[in-house]
Amino acid sequence: MYGLIGRMKAAPGQREALIALLLDDVGAMPGCHSYVVARDPGDGDAIWITEVWDSAASHRASLSLPQVQAAIAKAKPLIAGFDSHVETEPVGGHGLPAVG
């Protein structure tokens, strides 16, 4: 599996609008096991996004889906920046397939 954890900064006062866009139904994303958006309790403009995919290739492919491209275009004006991003290698957990 392939994982991503990133911290995104919304434009001042736009965090809730950005969260709504990120959680809006963008349709099926083949290979996506988990996509979680969370508020950063220590920063009123920051959010954390945690993703688990079956592979890095599935994640890359999702970025080309029309509904994902549309969501990105809508979200861009609400994003002030990205301040951390890490790749992980998930090995399992609640709701995820076990890795052998």
Side-chain angles (χ1 to χ4, degrees):
M1 285 187 280
Y2 175 74
L4 292 169
I5 301 171
R7 187 170 184 264
M8 182 186 297
K9 293 281 282 193
Q14 296 299 311
R15 179 168 79 172
E16 294 308 312
L18 180 57
I19 288 171
L21 279 172
L22 294 172
L23 293 177
D24 194 26
D25 185 16
V26 294
M29 293 190 292
C32 184
H33 295 294
S34 178
Y35 180 80
V36 177
V37 177
R39 291 180 190 98
D40 185 323
D43 183 332
D45 292 322
I47 61 173
W48 288 92
I49 301 170
T50 305
E51 304 174 56
V52 178
W53 296 83
D54 62 6
S55 68
S58 290
H59 174 259
R60 279 191 305 275
S62 76
L63 299 175
S64 298
L65 294 170
Q67 65 270 28
V68 173
Q69 286 291 310
I72 291 169
K74 288 179 193 175
K76 275 186 178 182
L78 304 177
I79 299 171
F82 300 86
D83 57 21
S84 69
H85 171 92
V86 294
E87 293 182 3
T88 64
E89 205 173 293
V91 295
H94 182 73
L96 299 179
V99 175

